[in-house]
Amino acid sequence: MKVLLALLIGLIINISYAQDTFVQRSNRPTVPWAVTDLPPFYVLSGPHAGEGRIDRIRVLIQKEIPELQFVDMNIGIGRAVELWKMNKEVCFGSALKTKERMRWAYFTVSAFQPGSELMLVTMNRALLETPAKKVSLKKLLRENRWKGFIPMERSYGENVDKIIKDNYVLVDAKESRTLTPDFGSILKMVAKKRYDFTIEYSSVVNAYNARNITEPALMMKPVLESTGYVPLYFACTKNDWGRSVVQKVDQAMQKIAPTKEYQEAIEAWMEPQTLKKNHEALQEFYHRRAQGPWNTLNDE
């Protein structure tokens, strides 16, 4: 029975993969680029469609690699990882690098994510009305007083990931499957008080609040354990095809990193205080990204 179930799941994924990919065709080799509606990283609809940070970076990369054609594939990181495991050709533009994911994909740094933007998100004032300026995620999860939802296929950096793995009790699997394809739906469930909290980047929450101005705004407080900035990565399936694409993108990143267009894309949607706090780190990041290879092609 388990074998039959596994075969059926594999068949469904293969069929869905074929349906998701290659709306566009050209004489150039196509590269499926996973996209999901998650402002400010990706904006797929509305008046700011195509103006997300990664949307804009993708345009700059495409100009540097005209021999390839990037095409949209409407999936999130969880689905992308599943396809990597099946050796299906797909890339993701804003992944976090983890030991598990490195088994299935090659990575090159694509963007900068301020660690200070990681927030506890809630509509419950009791979670925020404490003297501390930041919320300890470890303490909150260990107390287990509140019903939270944290998508397990996401990554928030090594330190926070470990806290979640060691302390978070997952909600039932059916609910997890229902919510995780669209991370915006998790914020919606918190807004409706179905869950007491989740964690998310402040720029994502601000974009959500801006899209839902007729509803009470989600509230936030910084997560204590988030540290420094988190490099985001362009990642592709760990095979010869993926190695070639990642190498080309890595070279393109070196060229665009010093440009005004790239730096404006990185800093788009960031609040003034976030930009000020991360000014030095941003300059160091741009310099490091422009200096040479920054990838995992030789890491095994």
Side-chain angles (χ1 to χ4, degrees):
M1 185 67 182
K2 289 183 178 180
V3 173
L4 178 59
L5 181 60
L7 289 172
L8 286 172
I9 292 172
L11 178 61
I12 291 169
I13 289 175
N14 274 289
I15 291 172
S16 184
Y17 173 80
Q19 291 173 341
D20 280 336
T21 53
F22 311 146
V23 174
Q24 306 174 47
R25 292 290 184 182
S26 72
N27 293 327
R28 295 175 288 172
T30 54
V31 176
W33 184 306
V35 296
T36 184
D37 193 29
L38 186 67
F41 301 105
Y42 305 90
V43 185
L44 304 187
S45 61
H48 297 289
E51 296 179 13
R53 292 174 187 165
I54 308 302
D55 297 328
R56 294 169 63 172
I57 292 170
R58 173 172 134 167
V59 171
L60 298 175
I61 294 172
Q62 180 70 86
K63 288 179 181 178
E64 295 294 331
I65 316 175
E67 67 271 22
L68 298 179
Q69 174 68 45
F70 294 122
V71 295
D72 288 350
M73 185 175 185
N74 293 305
I75 60 172
I77 184 61
R79 180 76 182 287
V81 172
E82 290 301 314
L83 293 174
W84 290 339
K85 291 179 179 179
M86 296 172 65
N87 203 36
K88 299 293 184 181
E89 295 176 353
V90 62
C91 301
F92 196 90
S94 57
L96 266 72
K97 183 182 69 175
T98 68
K99 290 181 180 178
E100 169 67 15
R101 293 176 184 177
M102 285 181 67
R103 296 172 58 191
W104 311 108
Y106 290 116
F107 293 77
T108 182
V109 172
S110 61
F112 175 106
Q113 175 56 44
S116 60
E117 278 200 336
L118 189 59
M119 299 282 169
L120 180 82
V121 186
T122 185
M123 292 296 292
N124 191 332
R125 292 189 179 277
L127 280 166
L128 304 180
E129 292 175 348
T130 60
K133 292 183 179 180
K134 297 185 178 182
V135 176
S136 171
L137 183 63
K138 181 187 292 185
K139 181 180 179 182
L140 178 69
L141 296 179
R142 285 183 174 177
E143 286 177 348
N144 200 25
R145 290 177 55 199
W146 311 98
K147 183 181 180 183
F149 189 99
I150 301 175
M152 297 302 289
E153 69 267 38
R154 286 278 295 272
S155 175
Y156 304 90
E158 185 176 348
N159 187 40
V160 174
D161 286 352
K162 187 176 187 308
I163 290 170
I164 295 169
K165 181 180 178 181
D166 292 345
N167 300 281
Y168 176 59
V169 178
L170 183 65
V171 296
D172 69 87
K174 181 179 180 181
E175 233 169 359
S176 179
R177 287 195 301 271
T178 300
L179 287 173
T180 51
D182 175 10
F183 298 124
S185 64
I186 300 174
L187 294 179
K188 185 174 291 186
M189 292 299 101
V190 173
K192 292 181 178 296
K193 301 184 180 180
R194 183 169 172 179
Y195 297 104
D196 292 309
F197 71 89
T198 187
I199 57 173
E200 187 53 270
Y201 295 111
S202 61
S203 54
V204 175
V205 180
N206 288 333
Y208 176 89
N209 285 337
R211 276 188 169 187
N212 298 274
I213 57 174
T214 61
E215 301 175 7
L218 288 163
M219 299 180 290
M220 298 179 280
K221 198 165 189 177
V223 171
L224 175 66
E225 293 87 355
S226 59
T227 56
Y229 78 85
V230 181
L232 301 181
Y233 291 80
F234 173 85
C236 299
T237 315
K238 198 169 188 177
N239 56 24
D240 290 343
W241 172 86
R243 171 180 281 274
S244 175
V245 175
V246 167
Q247 188 169 46
K248 289 178 183 292
V249 170
D250 183 78
Q251 292 168 352
M253 292 302 308
Q254 294 173 48
K255 294 180 181 179
I256 68 174
T259 68
K260 178 182 178 182
E261 292 77 11
Y262 174 74
Q263 294 175 18
E264 286 179 345
I266 291 289
E267 297 173 18
W269 302 78
M270 286 189 191
E271 296 177 335
Q273 61 267 35
T274 302
L275 282 171
K276 183 177 180 180
K277 185 175 182 179
N278 289 274
H279 176 75
E280 185 175 341
L282 278 163
Q283 299 310 309
E284 291 176 356
F285 172 81
Y286 298 142
H287 178 74
R288 170 69 180 87
R289 179 60 278 196
Q291 287 307 295
W294 194 353
N295 59 56
T296 66
L297 295 178
N298 297 316
D299 298 342
E300 297 297 339

